[in-house]
Amino acid sequence: MSIPSPAAPPTSPASAAINALRAAGENGDADAVAEVLAADVVFHSPMSATKLFEGRDEVTALHRDIFAVLDDIATTEPLVLGDTGAFSFHARVREVELEAMNLVRVNEQGQIVEYTVFVRPLPGLATLFATLPPRVSARRRGRPAGALVAALARPLAFMHRIADHMAPRFL
């Protein structure tokens, strides 16, 4: 059960934007994501410290790719304080479970201006890394670039899935 905070009542711009983003995620609806993004939104990926996705069009296209690779997205109730909020979600990518935390900041109009995603556990992140960047690269740079990214990323995902199964036996 969610208890409204005095700093962020359920009707606050941040709460409205986050709830719209959660609904869009659970429905896999990139167009609904676009409706809550500011024109100059910045998306911080969990997979790269150097690559930002900037602008409503690019972040919306990224969400089309995200929704194409994630299955069974289920979100949690958000925590909101002022212009910032967070919520988590669970999903599967190639049958590997992952959990993520979304941290968003909104402007006075209730549009998301900054969006950061954190993903765990490592096998889930590695599998996402082997699945999502090749798709994004193919969309942005062509199929050969997507194939190159896939060739680099897939062994990493495989190694982390194997290590996740084997390492606990030695702990």
Side-chain angles (χ1 to χ4, degrees):
M1 181 164 119
S2 176
I3 300 173
S5 158
T11 57
S12 76
S15 292
I18 290 168
N19 285 326
L21 181 62
R22 289 176 54 222
E26 289 184 352
N27 293 319
D29 187 348
D31 292 329
V33 171
E35 291 178 17
V36 296
L37 299 177
D40 60 348
V41 63
V42 175
F43 181 94
H44 301 272
S45 169
M47 294 177 265
S48 174
T50 58
K51 174 63 182 153
L52 296 176
F53 294 87
E54 299 178 282
R56 181 183 296 126
D57 291 343
E58 183 59 28
V59 174
T60 300
L62 176 63
H63 276 80
R64 287 187 208 298
D65 294 330
I66 291 168
F67 296 148
V69 302
L70 292 183
D71 296 313
D72 302 325
I73 299 171
T75 66
T76 64
E77 288 295 314
L79 300 172
V80 179
L81 182 60
D83 67 349
T84 304
F87 67 93
S88 67
F89 72 86
H90 291 84
R92 287 180 302 107
V93 57
R94 291 189 176 164
E95 301 302 320
V96 177
E97 300 287 328
L98 63 83
E99 180 180 14
M101 175 65 67
N102 290 349
L103 178 64
V104 300
R105 190 172 53 81
V106 302
N107 61 18
E108 300 81 29
Q109 292 77 40
Q111 299 170 316
I112 297 171
V113 293
E114 190 170 17
Y115 187 172
T116 304
V117 179
F118 305 92
V119 177
R120 68 162 304 277
L122 190 53
L125 176 61
T127 304
L128 183 62
F129 185 69
T131 307
L132 184 58
R135 184 179 182 89
V136 173
S137 294
R139 173 177 52 82
R140 297 179 83 214
R141 308 271 187 243
R143 296 187 102 190
L148 176 61
V149 171
L152 294 171
R154 285 189 180 134
L156 179 67
F158 174 76
M159 290 185 316
H160 282 292
R161 284 194 306 272
I162 296 300
D164 190 48
H165 291 294
M166 298 297 291
R169 297 177 183 169
F170 301 104
L171 297 178

